[in-house]
PDB file of all heavy atoms in Angstrom:
ATOM      1  N   GLN A 247      50.968 -35.713 -29.799  1.00 82.00           N
ATOM      2  CA  GLN A 247      52.141 -35.957 -30.639  1.00 82.00           C
ATOM      3  C   GLN A 247      52.875 -37.237 -30.237  1.00 82.00           C
ATOM      4  O   GLN A 247      53.743 -37.709 -30.985  1.00 82.00           O
ATOM      5  CB  GLN A 247      53.088 -34.758 -30.591  1.00 82.00           C
ATOM      6  CG  GLN A 247      52.567 -33.536 -31.338  1.00 82.00           C
ATOM      7  CD  GLN A 247      53.638 -32.471 -31.514  1.00 82.00           C
ATOM      8  OE1 GLN A 247      54.750 -32.570 -30.983  1.00 82.00           O
ATOM      9  NE2 GLN A 247      53.312 -31.425 -32.265  1.00 82.00           N
ATOM     10  N   THR A 248      52.532 -37.800 -29.083  1.00 86.00           N
ATOM     11  CA  THR A 248      53.118 -39.090 -28.711  1.00 86.00           C
ATOM     12  C   THR A 248      52.637 -40.195 -29.638  1.00 86.00           C
ATOM     13  O   THR A 248      53.205 -41.295 -29.637  1.00 86.00           O
ATOM     14  CB  THR A 248      52.776 -39.443 -27.256  1.00 86.00           C
ATOM     15  OG1 THR A 248      51.350 -39.504 -27.095  1.00 86.00           O
ATOM     16  CG2 THR A 248      53.343 -38.411 -26.291  1.00 86.00           C
ATOM     17  N   MET A 249      51.596 -39.930 -30.427  1.00 88.00           N
ATOM     18  CA  MET A 249      51.136 -40.894 -31.431  1.00 88.00           C
ATOM     19  C   MET A 249      52.144 -41.034 -32.567  1.00 88.00           C
ATOM     20  O   MET A 249      52.056 -41.958 -33.366  1.00 88.00           O
ATOM     21  CB  MET A 249      49.774 -40.459 -31.988  1.00 88.00           C
ATOM     22  CG  MET A 249      48.673 -40.351 -30.936  1.00 88.00           C
ATOM     23  SD  MET A 249      48.272 -41.937 -30.184  1.00 88.00           S
ATOM     24  CE  MET A 249      47.527 -42.793 -31.568  1.00 88.00           C
ATOM     25  N   ILE A 250      53.088 -40.109 -32.660  1.00 88.00           N
ATOM     26  CA  ILE A 250      54.133 -40.163 -33.686  1.00 88.00           C
ATOM     27  C   ILE A 250      55.378 -40.796 -33.079  1.00 88.00           C
ATOM     28  O   ILE A 250      55.945 -40.281 -32.103  1.00 88.00           O
ATOM     29  CB  ILE A 250      54.445 -38.751 -34.215  1.00 88.00           C
ATOM     30  CG1 ILE A 250      53.222 -38.185 -34.949  1.00 88.00           C
ATOM     31  CG2 ILE A 250      55.674 -38.771 -35.124  1.00 88.00           C
ATOM     32  CD1 ILE A 250      53.413 -36.760 -35.442  1.00 88.00           C
ATOM     33  N   ASP A 251      55.795 -41.913 -33.625  1.00 89.00           N
ATOM     34  CA  ASP A 251      56.994 -42.604 -33.152  1.00 89.00           C
ATOM     35  C   ASP A 251      58.218 -41.779 -33.553  1.00 89.00           C
ATOM     36  O   ASP A 251      58.428 -41.490 -34.734  1.00 89.00           O
ATOM     37  CB  ASP A 251      57.055 -44.002 -33.783  1.00 89.00           C
ATOM     38  CG  ASP A 251      58.144 -44.874 -33.182  1.00 89.00           C
ATOM     39  OD1 ASP A 251      59.144 -44.328 -32.674  1.00 89.00           O
ATOM     40  OD2 ASP A 251      57.994 -46.112 -33.237  1.00 89.00           O
ATOM     41  N   GLU A 252      59.032 -41.411 -32.579  1.00 91.00           N
ATOM     42  CA  GLU A 252      60.204 -40.584 -32.871  1.00 91.00           C
ATOM     43  C   GLU A 252      61.202 -41.294 -33.779  1.00 91.00           C
ATOM     44  O   GLU A 252      62.020 -40.637 -34.433  1.00 91.00           O
ATOM     45  CB  GLU A 252      60.878 -40.145 -31.572  1.00 91.00           C
ATOM     46  CG  GLU A 252      60.002 -39.202 -30.746  1.00 91.00           C
ATOM     47  CD  GLU A 252      60.712 -38.658 -29.523  1.00 91.00           C
ATOM     48  OE1 GLU A 252      61.882 -39.033 -29.295  1.00 91.00           O
ATOM     49  OE2 GLU A 252      60.087 -37.855 -28.797  1.00 91.00           O
ATOM     50  N   ALA A 253      61.129 -42.611 -33.842  1.00 92.00           N
ATOM     51  CA  ALA A 253      62.021 -43.360 -34.740  1.00 92.00           C
ATOM     52  C   ALA A 253      61.686 -43.078 -36.206  1.00 92.00           C
ATOM     53  O   ALA A 253      62.503 -43.343 -37.089  1.00 92.00           O
ATOM     54  CB  ALA A 253      61.920 -44.858 -34.456  1.00 92.00           C
ATOM     55  N   TRP A 254      60.478 -42.570 -36.457  1.00 93.00           N
ATOM     56  CA  TRP A 254      60.065 -42.266 -37.832  1.00 93.00           C
ATOM     57  C   TRP A 254      60.535 -40.892 -38.297  1.00 93.00           C
ATOM     58  O   TRP A 254      60.379 -40.543 -39.478  1.00 93.00           O
ATOM     59  CB  TRP A 254      58.541 -42.291 -37.949  1.00 93.00           C
ATOM     60  CG  TRP A 254      57.880 -43.584 -37.593  1.00 93.00           C
ATOM     61  CD1 TRP A 254      58.459 -44.822 -37.514  1.00 93.00           C
ATOM     62  CD2 TRP A 254      56.501 -43.765 -37.264  1.00 93.00           C
ATOM     63  NE1 TRP A 254      57.531 -45.759 -37.161  1.00 93.00           N
ATOM     64  CE2 TRP A 254      56.318 -45.141 -37.000  1.00 93.00           C
ATOM     65  CE3 TRP A 254      55.406 -42.909 -37.167  1.00 93.00           C
ATOM     66  CZ2 TRP A 254      55.080 -45.675 -36.642  1.00 93.00           C
ATOM     67  CZ3 TRP A 254      54.171 -43.427 -36.819  1.00 93.00           C
ATOM     68  CH2 TRP A 254      54.014 -44.805 -36.556  1.00 93.00           C
ATOM     69  N   LEU A 255      61.096 -40.091 -37.392  1.00 93.00           N
ATOM     70  CA  LEU A 255      61.451 -38.714 -37.710  1.00 93.00           C
ATOM     71  C   LEU A 255      62.884 -38.610 -38.221  1.00 93.00           C
ATOM     72  O   LEU A 255      63.768 -39.329 -37.765  1.00 93.00           O
ATOM     73  CB  LEU A 255      61.295 -37.830 -36.464  1.00 93.00           C
ATOM     74  CG  LEU A 255      59.891 -37.764 -35.856  1.00 93.00           C
ATOM     75  CD1 LEU A 255      59.934 -36.963 -34.550  1.00 93.00           C
ATOM     76  CD2 LEU A 255      58.907 -37.141 -36.831  1.00 93.00           C
ATOM     77  N   PRO A 256      63.149 -37.695 -39.151  1.00 92.00           N
ATOM     78  CA  PRO A 256      64.520 -37.489 -39.629  1.00 92.00           C
ATOM     79  C   PRO A 256      65.353 -36.791 -38.555  1.00 92.00           C
ATOM     80  O   PRO A 256      64.818 -36.110 -37.674  1.00 92.00           O
ATOM     81  CB  PRO A 256      64.335 -36.577 -40.850  1.00 92.00           C
ATOM     82  CG  PRO A 256      63.060 -35.841 -40.577  1.00 92.00           C
ATOM     83  CD  PRO A 256      62.184 -36.818 -39.837  1.00 92.00           C
ATOM     84  N   ASP A 257      66.678 -36.952 -38.626  1.00 90.00           N
ATOM     85  CA  ASP A 257      67.543 -36.244 -37.695  1.00 90.00           C
ATOM     86  C   ASP A 257      67.726 -34.804 -38.168  1.00 90.00           C
ATOM     87  O   ASP A 257      67.159 -34.387 -39.187  1.00 90.00           O
ATOM     88  CB  ASP A 257      68.885 -36.962 -37.536  1.00 90.00           C
ATOM     89  CG  ASP A 257      69.657 -37.084 -38.852  1.00 90.00           C
ATOM     90  OD1 ASP A 257      69.328 -36.370 -39.835  1.00 90.00           O
ATOM     91  OD2 ASP A 257      70.598 -37.903 -38.900  1.00 90.00           O
ATOM     92  N   SER A 258      68.518 -34.031 -37.443  1.00 86.00           N
ATOM     93  CA  SER A 258      68.666 -32.612 -37.753  1.00 86.00           C
ATOM     94  C   SER A 258      69.238 -32.385 -39.150  1.00 86.00           C
ATOM     95  O   SER A 258      68.789 -31.496 -39.877  1.00 86.00           O
ATOM     96  CB  SER A 258      69.568 -31.948 -36.709  1.00 86.00           C
ATOM     97  OG  SER A 258      68.962 -31.975 -35.438  1.00 86.00           O
ATOM     98  N   ALA A 259      70.229 -33.186 -39.521  1.00 87.00           N
ATOM     99  CA  ALA A 259      70.815 -33.039 -40.853  1.00 87.00           C
ATOM    100  C   ALA A 259      69.784 -33.382 -41.930  1.00 87.00           C
ATOM    101  O   ALA A 259      69.722 -32.733 -42.984  1.00 87.00           O
ATOM    102  CB  ALA A 259      72.044 -33.919 -40.993  1.00 87.00           C
ATOM    103  N   GLY A 260      68.958 -34.388 -41.662  1.00 91.00           N
ATOM    104  CA  GLY A 260      67.910 -34.762 -42.606  1.00 91.00           C
ATOM    105  C   GLY A 260      66.867 -33.669 -42.755  1.00 91.00           C
ATOM    106  O   GLY A 260      66.385 -33.389 -43.859  1.00 91.00           O
ATOM    107  N   ARG A 261      66.505 -33.030 -41.623  1.00 91.00           N
ATOM    108  CA  ARG A 261      65.547 -31.923 -41.676  1.00 91.00           C
ATOM    109  C   ARG A 261      66.098 -30.772 -42.521  1.00 91.00           C
ATOM    110  O   ARG A 261      65.389 -30.185 -43.344  1.00 91.00           O
ATOM    111  CB  ARG A 261      65.243 -31.428 -40.262  1.00 91.00           C
ATOM    112  CG  ARG A 261      64.363 -32.358 -39.443  1.00 91.00           C
ATOM    113  CD  ARG A 261      64.283 -31.876 -38.000  1.00 91.00           C
ATOM    114  NE  ARG A 261      63.670 -30.566 -37.886  1.00 91.00           N
ATOM    115  CZ  ARG A 261      62.375 -30.344 -37.636  1.00 91.00           C
ATOM    116  NH1 ARG A 261      61.556 -31.374 -37.494  1.00 91.00           N
ATOM    117  NH2 ARG A 261      61.903 -29.118 -37.544  1.00 91.00           N
ATOM    118  N   LEU A 262      67.374 -30.455 -42.313  1.00 90.00           N
ATOM    119  CA  LEU A 262      67.984 -29.372 -43.081  1.00 90.00           C
ATOM    120  C   LEU A 262      67.974 -29.703 -44.569  1.00 90.00           C
ATOM    121  O   LEU A 262      67.617 -28.854 -45.403  1.00 90.00           O
ATOM    122  CB  LEU A 262      69.409 -29.131 -42.606  1.00 90.00           C
ATOM    123  CG  LEU A 262      70.195 -28.086 -43.404  1.00 90.00           C
ATOM    124  CD1 LEU A 262      69.554 -26.709 -43.266  1.00 90.00           C
ATOM    125  CD2 LEU A 262      71.657 -28.039 -42.946  1.00 90.00           C
ATOM    126  N   ALA A 263      68.340 -30.938 -44.915  1.00 92.00           N
ATOM    127  CA  ALA A 263      68.366 -31.333 -46.327  1.00 92.00           C
ATOM    128  C   ALA A 263      66.971 -31.250 -46.946  1.00 92.00           C
ATOM    129  O   ALA A 263      66.813 -30.804 -48.092  1.00 92.00           O
ATOM    130  CB  ALA A 263      68.927 -32.749 -46.456  1.00 92.00           C
ATOM    131  N   GLN A 264      65.946 -31.675 -46.189  1.00 95.00           N
ATOM    132  CA  GLN A 264      64.583 -31.582 -46.701  1.00 95.00           C
ATOM    133  C   GLN A 264      64.167 -30.134 -46.939  1.00 95.00           C
ATOM    134  O   GLN A 264      63.564 -29.802 -47.963  1.00 95.00           O
ATOM    135  CB  GLN A 264      63.619 -32.249 -45.724  1.00 95.00           C
ATOM    136  CG  GLN A 264      63.726 -33.768 -45.676  1.00 95.00           C
ATOM    137  CD  GLN A 264      62.806 -34.379 -44.634  1.00 95.00           C
ATOM    138  OE1 GLN A 264      61.988 -33.693 -44.018  1.00 95.00           O
ATOM    139  NE2 GLN A 264      62.934 -35.685 -44.419  1.00 95.00           N
ATOM    140  N   SER A 265      64.497 -29.258 -45.988  1.00 94.00           N
ATOM    141  CA  SER A 265      64.122 -27.854 -46.147  1.00 94.00           C
ATOM    142  C   SER A 265      64.846 -27.226 -47.326  1.00 94.00           C
ATOM    143  O   SER A 265      64.264 -26.415 -48.069  1.00 94.00           O
ATOM    144  CB  SER A 265      64.428 -27.068 -44.864  1.00 94.00           C
ATOM    145  OG  SER A 265      65.816 -26.920 -44.665  1.00 94.00           O
ATOM    146  N   GLN A 266      66.100 -27.623 -47.532  1.00 94.00           N
ATOM    147  CA  GLN A 266      66.880 -27.014 -48.610  1.00 94.00           C
ATOM    148  C   GLN A 266      66.417 -27.468 -49.987  1.00 94.00           C
ATOM    149  O   GLN A 266      66.339 -26.661 -50.914  1.00 94.00           O
ATOM    150  CB  GLN A 266      68.367 -27.330 -48.408  1.00 94.00           C
ATOM    151  CG  GLN A 266      68.977 -26.583 -47.226  1.00 94.00           C
ATOM    152  CD  GLN A 266      70.439 -26.874 -47.030  1.00 94.00           C
ATOM    153  OE1 GLN A 266      70.909 -27.988 -47.297  1.00 94.00           O
ATOM    154  NE2 GLN A 266      71.191 -25.896 -46.559  1.00 94.00           N
ATOM    155  N   ILE A 267      66.086 -28.756 -50.131  1.00 96.00           N
ATOM    156  CA  ILE A 267      65.628 -29.207 -51.442  1.00 96.00           C
ATOM    157  C   ILE A 267      64.268 -28.606 -51.776  1.00 96.00           C
ATOM    158  O   ILE A 267      63.995 -28.206 -52.912  1.00 96.00           O
ATOM    159  CB  ILE A 267      65.597 -30.753 -51.542  1.00 96.00           C
ATOM    160  CG1 ILE A 267      65.403 -31.174 -53.004  1.00 96.00           C
ATOM    161  CG2 ILE A 267      64.487 -31.354 -50.666  1.00 96.00           C
ATOM    162  CD1 ILE A 267      65.569 -32.669 -53.242  1.00 96.00           C
ATOM    163  N   ALA A 268      63.404 -28.489 -50.771  1.00 97.00           N
ATOM    164  CA  ALA A 268      62.093 -27.886 -50.998  1.00 97.00           C
ATOM    165  C   ALA A 268      62.247 -26.417 -51.385  1.00 97.00           C
ATOM    166  O   ALA A 268      61.616 -25.940 -52.341  1.00 97.00           O
ATOM    167  CB  ALA A 268      61.226 -28.024 -49.751  1.00 97.00           C
ATOM    168  N   ALA A 269      63.081 -25.689 -50.649  1.00 96.00           N
ATOM    169  CA  ALA A 269      63.290 -24.266 -50.942  1.00 96.00           C
ATOM    170  C   ALA A 269      63.872 -24.075 -52.336  1.00 96.00           C
ATOM    171  O   ALA A 269      63.457 -23.168 -53.073  1.00 96.00           O
ATOM    172  CB  ALA A 269      64.198 -23.645 -49.889  1.00 96.00           C
ATOM    173  N   ARG A 270      64.806 -24.927 -52.700  1.00 97.00           N
ATOM    174  CA  ARG A 270      65.434 -24.792 -54.014  1.00 97.00           C
ATOM    175  C   ARG A 270      64.418 -25.000 -55.133  1.00 97.00           C
ATOM    176  O   ARG A 270      64.379 -24.250 -56.121  1.00 97.00           O
ATOM    177  CB  ARG A 270      66.591 -25.778 -54.157  1.00 97.00           C
ATOM    178  CG  ARG A 270      67.354 -25.620 -55.463  1.00 97.00           C
ATOM    179  CD  ARG A 270      68.660 -26.374 -55.453  1.00 97.00           C
ATOM    180  NE  ARG A 270      68.467 -27.811 -55.378  1.00 97.00           N
ATOM    181  CZ  ARG A 270      68.761 -28.554 -54.315  1.00 97.00           C
ATOM    182  NH1 ARG A 270      69.246 -27.981 -53.230  1.00 97.00           N
ATOM    183  NH2 ARG A 270      68.583 -29.862 -54.336  1.00 97.00           N
ATOM    184  N   LEU A 271      63.554 -25.992 -54.991  1.00 98.00           N
ATOM    185  CA  LEU A 271      62.539 -26.260 -56.008  1.00 98.00           C
ATOM    186  C   LEU A 271      61.552 -25.100 -56.119  1.00 98.00           C
ATOM    187  O   LEU A 271      61.121 -24.736 -57.220  1.00 98.00           O
ATOM    188  CB  LEU A 271      61.790 -27.552 -55.669  1.00 98.00           C
ATOM    189  CG  LEU A 271      62.599 -28.847 -55.815  1.00 98.00           C
ATOM    190  CD1 LEU A 271      61.823 -30.018 -55.227  1.00 98.00           C
ATOM    191  CD2 LEU A 271      62.922 -29.108 -57.286  1.00 98.00           C
ATOM    192  N   ILE A 272      61.193 -24.519 -54.987  1.00 98.00           N
ATOM    193  CA  ILE A 272      60.236 -23.412 -55.004  1.00 98.00           C
ATOM    194  C   ILE A 272      60.853 -22.178 -55.659  1.00 98.00           C
ATOM    195  O   ILE A 272      60.225 -21.514 -56.492  1.00 98.00           O
ATOM    196  CB  ILE A 272      59.762 -23.109 -53.571  1.00 98.00           C
ATOM    197  CG1 ILE A 272      58.975 -24.301 -53.010  1.00 98.00           C
ATOM    198  CG2 ILE A 272      58.895 -21.850 -53.552  1.00 98.00           C
ATOM    199  CD1 ILE A 272      58.698 -24.205 -51.510  1.00 98.00           C
ATOM    200  N   VAL A 273      62.085 -21.860 -55.295  1.00 98.00           N
ATOM    201  CA  VAL A 273      62.761 -20.694 -55.881  1.00 98.00           C
ATOM    202  C   VAL A 273      62.999 -20.911 -57.371  1.00 98.00           C
ATOM    203  O   VAL A 273      62.829 -19.988 -58.187  1.00 98.00           O
ATOM    204  CB  VAL A 273      64.081 -20.415 -55.135  1.00 98.00           C
ATOM    205  CG1 VAL A 273      64.909 -19.370 -55.872  1.00 98.00           C
ATOM    206  CG2 VAL A 273      63.786 -19.941 -53.715  1.00 98.00           C
ATOM    207  N   ASP A 274      63.372 -22.129 -57.754  1.00 98.00           N
ATOM    208  CA  ASP A 274      63.594 -22.427 -59.170  1.00 98.00           C
ATOM    209  C   ASP A 274      62.315 -22.269 -59.990  1.00 98.00           C
ATOM    210  O   ASP A 274      62.370 -22.042 -61.208  1.00 98.00           O
ATOM    211  CB  ASP A 274      64.130 -23.852 -59.347  1.00 98.00           C
ATOM    212  CG  ASP A 274      65.581 -23.988 -58.914  1.00 98.00           C
ATOM    213  OD1 ASP A 274      66.227 -22.943 -58.675  1.00 98.00           O
ATOM    214  OD2 ASP A 274      66.065 -25.134 -58.797  1.00 98.00           O
ATOM    215  N   ALA A 275      61.159 -22.366 -59.326  1.00 98.00           N
ATOM    216  CA  ALA A 275      59.883 -22.201 -60.017  1.00 98.00           C
ATOM    217  C   ALA A 275      59.484 -20.734 -60.139  1.00 98.00           C
ATOM    218  O   ALA A 275      58.394 -20.431 -60.657  1.00 98.00           O
ATOM    219  CB  ALA A 275      58.791 -22.979 -59.278  1.00 98.00           C
ATOM    220  N   GLY A 276      60.335 -19.819 -59.663  1.00 98.00           N
ATOM    221  CA  GLY A 276      60.078 -18.402 -59.853  1.00 98.00           C
ATOM    222  C   GLY A 276      59.581 -17.663 -58.637  1.00 98.00           C
ATOM    223  O   GLY A 276      59.253 -16.469 -58.724  1.00 98.00           O
ATOM    224  N   TYR A 277      59.552 -18.314 -57.478  1.00 98.00           N
ATOM    225  CA  TYR A 277      59.102 -17.661 -56.254  1.00 98.00           C
ATOM    226  C   TYR A 277      60.278 -16.987 -55.550  1.00 98.00           C
ATOM    227  O   TYR A 277      61.421 -17.420 -55.676  1.00 98.00           O
ATOM    228  CB  TYR A 277      58.463 -18.676 -55.300  1.00 98.00           C
ATOM    229  CG  TYR A 277      57.134 -19.210 -55.791  1.00 98.00           C
ATOM    230  CD1 TYR A 277      57.069 -20.196 -56.776  1.00 98.00           C
ATOM    231  CD2 TYR A 277      55.940 -18.727 -55.265  1.00 98.00           C
ATOM    232  CE1 TYR A 277      55.850 -20.681 -57.231  1.00 98.00           C
ATOM    233  CE2 TYR A 277      54.711 -19.217 -55.712  1.00 98.00           C
ATOM    234  CZ  TYR A 277      54.677 -20.191 -56.695  1.00 98.00           C
ATOM    235  OH  TYR A 277      53.464 -20.676 -57.145  1.00 98.00           O
TER     236      TYR A 277
END
Side-chain angles (χ1 to χ4, degrees):
Q247 288 192 353
T248 59
M249 300 295 292
I250 295 177
D251 189 334
E252 294 185 359
W254 301 342
L255 300 174
D257 60 16
S258 295
R261 287 172 63 95
L262 176 64
Q264 289 177 7
S265 70
Q266 289 181 327
I267 192 171
R270 184 167 65 250
L271 290 170
I272 295 169
V273 170
D274 287 349
Y277 290 78

